Amino acid sequence: MNHTLLLCCLVFLWPTESCRTLCQAASKNKAKVSAKPHDVCDGVCVDNSHCSQPCPPNTLGNMGFLCRQKKWHKITDSCRTLTPLSIFEEKLGSAPSSADTTHIGTYSQKSETITDLLMQKCPKDLSCILANIQHSPRIPGNIAVIVQLLHNISTAVVTDVDEAKMQSYSTMANHILNSKSISNWTFIPEKNSSCVLLHSVNSFARKLLVHKHSIDISDVFIHTIGTTVSGEHSGKNLTFSMRVNDTSTEVAGRVLISRDELRKLPSASQVVSIAFPTLGAILEASLLGKVTVNGLVLSVILPKELKRILLTFEKISKLEESRTQCVGWHSLESRWDQQACQMIQENFQQAVCKCRPSKLFTSFSILMSPHSLKSPILIYITYIGLGISICSLILCLSIEALVWDRVTKTEISYLRHLCIANVAATLLMADVWFIVASFLSGPTTHHDGCVAATFFVHFFYLSVFFWMLAKALLILYGILIVFHTLPKSVLVASLFSVGYGCPLVIAVITVAATEPGKGYLRPEACWLNWDTTKALLAFVVPALTIVVVNLITVTVVIVKTRRATIGSSMFQEVRAIVRISKNIAILTPLLGLTWGFGIAIVINDRSLAFHILFSLLNAFQGFFILVFGTILDPKIREALKNRINSAKWISRISEQNLSTDYSCHPTKGPS
């Protein structure tokens, strides 16, 4: 091909235009030969192996790939067109030279020289680089360059940020906050880039000077409002309305400072607030978060005297079954923290949060948990089942009280009915406190009452499980230990120690360890916290452990029953199967084996069928205890029958005595 081009240039018999055409064709063919795909790797794809590929022409950097399931997947991308020199060029578009290959990931001294150059060329308004930045493609490497630049500007500018500088700074941030760039944040090698951006914007805005007139800088993806406040104001309200998800639908956010808070100000001060409609999704994408930001991200910079604000967030996704949390961004740990805010009011459209701004918490939003599952069916099953369960437990305890003397004549029967009565009593108290806790839950949570209700729900439900464990141990004691018996008083003391002592110790340690740091409760309900302190493990671990022990107990009972019928006739085999089935039916509710279905919910918490089955089996547990633990017991039925007959006989005797007294002493009629 090169020989052909040389011949074209030397031979004058060919027209000039033909030579130009041939040269262009040769260039295209040369490009075709040298071009190769940049979105895949050349190496052999072996699972968990890595590969690096250079960026396309006219860009610097490289792309990293990871092999999963015999296919390359891009995990990092540092491709960029912006360089320390091209940022200041009057016309962007030339290919970056090899001299510009600066490492972008770290905030190094080289990047500070870019800021120094910027402050020399346009220190007043920082506008000399806006055109190049706005026309640059929003590829991962360019995003990292701009984040680095914004970080260093916020560090270099110590004080006196006026409206012009803030406008330029917002324009640069707005370019990389564009909703079309969200997916590209995932590939930036430095996963904390979104956190650095949020911190940089807040830090720069903290130096903004607001004079007599308010500042309102509105871009599509960042909106800054600065104003002055004083104790004379009746309250201050800053309202934002911004588009999300590339639609015309706008989502509102509002910052409200109450009159009582403003009275704490000794003199006039300034308040700056910034709204971001896409930053929540960017934080989620870059940090690979499991929760979804469901409103604007609102940054609020206040005077140190102001400690409380009200924030109203309109929900982006208005699904009624979603669980909402008010949160603040922890600037040191780079995560959303529930301790910064408290839910005040919520409906399917918006949430109102009371938040505590500080140096650690400047930015706030609401989260929507993707794993929450709420259904009217579950609510109806739970409360109807609890109502039936409470009535059944009261009836069960009443029957036990009526026949107690007749069915507890032997030691083993006394201990058995002692366990059943305490299981029923603790489950009754647990259900009652569960209803109390449900009334105390919600946006307007009564904290102290909620703590008390959660403690008693935790304690009594643990007591239910430990009394079930005590009954299981009693069954094993009767089966395995035949010739060595303990005194009755020792057995009773042991049962009460297990049934009430262990739950009390666990419940007290849990509240003492987590409540001082406000990590005992869930923010949306009166129940043990999971997201921050994992206090719920103090219930789940003992409960599931006891379920496993009780399941082993049932297995031992089945084996013992089955072994007694080996070599028997077919009729005896059938009777043994019936007896085994009856034992399983009786022991399953009495030993709490239905709670084992909670494991299915842990494995697949989005399955409505598992939730309905779990709710049916456990909400009606009191009814099952009444049926299988009391009514189906032939000794209790016989004792109850005798008690009723005895009551009828006593009633008949009383009627006869009354009739005899009446006949012996007739009343006199009128004379």
Side-chain angles (χ1 to χ4, degrees):
M1 182 64 67
N2 291 333
H3 293 293
T4 305
L5 290 174
L6 182 60
L7 184 62
C8 172
C9 296
L10 294 176
V11 179
F12 293 98
L13 295 175
W14 285 19
T16 307
E17 189 65 30
S18 300
C19 181
R20 186 180 297 115
T21 303
L22 184 58
C23 289
Q24 291 175 353
S27 300
K28 288 181 180 179
N29 290 334
K30 186 177 181 181
K32 278 186 179 180
V33 171
S34 62
K36 61 180 181 179
H38 295 272
D39 56 347
V40 293
C41 277
D42 297 330
V44 179
C45 185
V46 180
D47 281 352
N48 298 321
S49 61
H50 292 264
C51 174
S52 181
Q53 194 78 356
C55 291
N58 298 331
T59 57
L60 297 172
N62 55 66
M63 296 177 289
F65 294 84
L66 174 67
C67 181
R68 292 195 299 263
Q69 298 179 352
K70 306 298 180 181
K71 189 176 181 180
W72 289 112
H73 297 269
K74 185 167 70 171
I75 56 174
T76 61
D77 185 338
S78 61
C79 299
R80 61 191 183 276
T81 59
L82 288 175
T83 64
L85 295 180
S86 66
I87 288 180
F88 294 96
E89 288 180 357
E90 294 185 4
K91 188 175 182 180
L92 186 67
S94 59
S97 63
S98 59
D100 296 334
T101 56
T102 316
H103 183 62
I104 297 300
T106 58
Y107 302 101
S108 60
Q109 192 172 2
K110 175 66 178 174
S111 63
E112 291 177 358
T113 61
I114 305 174
T115 307
D116 295 337
L117 188 58
L118 174 66
M119 301 307 295
Q120 293 173 13
K121 287 194 172 186
C122 47
K124 290 186 178 181
D125 56 5
L126 311 177
S127 62
C128 56
I129 59 173
L130 294 184
N132 287 344
I133 287 180
Q134 287 181 296
H135 289 90
S136 64
R138 300 181 188 90
I139 55 179
N142 283 349
I143 293 174
V145 170
I146 297 172
V147 170
Q148 180 182 8
L149 179 61
L150 292 173
H151 169 80
N152 287 287
I153 291 173
S154 66
T155 305
V157 179
V158 181
T159 56
D160 299 338
V161 173
D162 57 14
E163 186 172 358
K165 288 180 183 177
M166 193 69 208
Q167 177 68 69
S168 298
Y169 196 90
S170 296
T171 302
M172 288 185 274
N174 183 75
H175 182 69
I176 57 176
L177 287 169
N178 192 298
S179 57
K180 296 178 181 178
S181 68
I182 293 176
S183 59
N184 286 335
W185 284 84
T186 308
F187 301 111
I188 299 176
E190 290 71 35
K191 298 304 179 183
N192 68 330
S193 294
S194 56
C195 310
V196 173
L197 174 64
L198 177 59
H199 176 76
S200 301
V201 173
N202 290 340
S203 177
F204 194 77
R206 197 177 294 275
K207 304 164 188 175
L208 179 63
L209 291 179
V210 182
H211 300 289
K212 294 182 179 180
H213 301 289
S214 297
I215 294 175
D216 192 328
I217 303 171
S218 179
D219 287 296
V220 179
F221 302 104
I222 179 172
H223 187 181
T224 304
I225 296 178
T227 187
T228 57
V229 293
S230 66
E232 299 176 355
H233 288 95
S234 58
K236 200 65 180 179
N237 188 349
L238 306 179
T239 303
F240 302 90
S241 183
M242 308 185 76
R243 290 189 295 112
V244 294
N245 299 332
D246 292 330
T247 64
S248 58
T249 305
E250 292 192 345
V251 172
R254 186 172 63 185
V255 180
L256 177 63
I257 307 173
S258 66
R259 183 176 183 178
D260 293 336
E261 282 293 312
L262 291 178
R263 286 177 177 174
K264 299 176 182 178
L265 294 174
S267 60
S269 304
Q270 68 177 41
V271 172
V272 178
S273 184
I274 311 168
F276 307 89
T278 57
L279 186 57
I282 290 172
L283 288 167
E284 180 186 354
S286 59
L287 298 176
L288 304 177
K290 296 182 180 180
V291 292
T292 302
V293 175
N294 199 28
L296 299 178
V297 175
L298 296 179
S299 294
V300 185
I301 301 165
L302 300 175
K304 62 181 181 180
E305 292 83 6
L306 303 184
K307 304 294 184 183
R308 297 286 188 276
I309 56 172
L310 287 180
L311 300 175
T312 301
F313 297 95
E314 183 181 353
K315 296 180 180 180
I316 298 173
S317 175
K318 297 177 174 61
L319 298 176
E320 292 189 17
E321 65 269 16
S322 64
R323 195 184 81 180
T324 301
Q325 302 171 351
C326 296
V327 291
W329 182 258
H330 198 297
S331 58
L332 293 182
E333 299 179 4
S334 298
R335 62 177 178 85
W336 292 111
D337 195 327
Q338 301 174 26
Q339 305 303 318
C341 295
Q342 178 185 0
M343 182 77 74
I344 299 299
Q345 186 179 1
E346 181 194 4
N347 54 44
F348 74 96
Q349 287 188 329
Q350 66 178 22
V352 180
C353 309
K354 180 188 289 184
C355 299
R356 304 186 303 275
S358 63
K359 289 185 177 180
L360 282 181
F361 298 103
T362 305
S363 303
F364 308 91
S365 190
I366 54 174
L367 301 183
M368 176 180 68
S369 175
H371 302 298
S372 61
L373 179 63
K374 293 182 181 179
S375 171
I377 298 176
L378 294 177
I379 297 174
Y380 293 143
I381 290 174
T382 300
Y383 285 103
I384 293 173
L386 283 176
I388 296 175
S389 180
I390 288 173
C391 295
S392 300
L393 291 170
I394 293 173
L395 183 58
C396 175
L397 291 173
S398 301
I399 293 174
E400 287 286 344
L402 284 173
V403 301
W404 185 264
D405 294 335
R406 296 175 182 268
V407 298
T408 58
K409 293 180 180 179
T410 63
E411 179 179 310
I412 191 67
S413 63
Y414 176 85
L415 296 174
R416 175 179 176 274
H417 284 278
L418 181 68
C419 289
I420 292 176
N422 278 280
V423 166
T426 51
L427 183 57
L428 175 62
M429 294 303 298
D431 288 345
V432 170
W433 276 106
F434 179 87
I435 294 175
V436 172
S438 67
F439 281 107
L440 292 174
S441 299
T444 56
T445 301
H446 302 80
H447 184 77
D448 293 338
C450 197
V451 169
T454 301
F455 174 82
F456 285 114
V457 171
H458 185 203
F459 168 70
F460 281 116
Y461 272 122
L462 279 180
S463 296
V464 172
F465 280 99
F466 275 94
W467 272 106
M468 290 175 176
L469 174 64
K471 181 170 176 57
L473 296 177
L474 189 64
I475 293 173
L476 291 176
Y477 173 78
I479 292 175
L480 302 178
I481 303 176
V482 180
F483 300 105
H484 301 281
T485 59
L486 294 173
K488 180 180 177 181
S489 58
V490 174
L491 289 174
V492 171
S494 301
L495 291 176
F496 273 90
S497 299
V498 172
Y500 290 113
C502 294
L504 183 62
V505 170
I506 295 173
V508 169
I509 290 176
T510 303
V511 69
T514 57
E515 176 54 23
K518 302 300 180 184
Y520 184 60
L521 301 176
R522 297 190 178 195
E524 78 285 350
C526 293
W527 185 227
L528 299 174
N529 186 291
W530 171 253
D531 295 321
T532 55
T533 60
K534 300 295 187 290
L536 184 60
L537 291 176
F539 173 74
V540 173
V541 172
L544 291 183
T545 303
I546 290 172
V547 168
V548 172
V549 173
N550 291 356
L551 184 61
I552 294 172
T553 302
V554 173
T555 305
V556 171
V557 171
I558 293 172
V559 170
K560 287 286 185 180
T561 307
R562 182 74 183 87
R563 186 179 297 173
T565 61
I566 295 177
S568 303
S569 64
M570 180 65 69
F571 177 73
Q572 290 176 327
E573 288 278 352
V574 172
R575 289 187 62 185
I577 293 174
V578 173
R579 189 161 60 251
I580 290 172
S581 302
K582 185 178 178 181
N583 288 338
I584 294 174
I586 291 174
L587 292 177
T588 295
L590 292 179
L591 298 184
L593 300 186
T594 55
W595 288 83
F597 286 94
I599 300 175
I601 294 177
V602 172
I603 296 173
N604 185 7
D605 63 346
R606 295 188 181 186
S607 174
L608 183 60
F610 285 159
H611 280 271
I612 291 176
L613 181 62
F614 182 76
S615 298
L616 281 172
L617 291 175
N618 294 292
F620 289 88
Q621 190 172 11
F623 174 75
F624 295 145
I625 290 175
L626 171 65
V627 173
F628 294 105
T630 303
I631 295 177
L632 292 182
D633 189 332
K635 292 183 179 180
I636 289 181
R637 292 203 307 271
E638 183 66 24
L640 191 61
K641 182 179 178 181
N642 293 336
R643 187 83 177 188
I644 293 173
N645 291 335
S646 176
K648 289 182 178 178
W649 184 78
I650 293 173
S651 177
R652 193 175 295 120
I653 293 297
S654 299
E655 290 178 358
Q656 290 177 356
N657 292 336
L658 182 62
S659 177
T660 302
D661 292 341
Y662 181 79
S663 60
C664 292
H665 303 282
T667 58
K668 291 184 178 182
S671 56

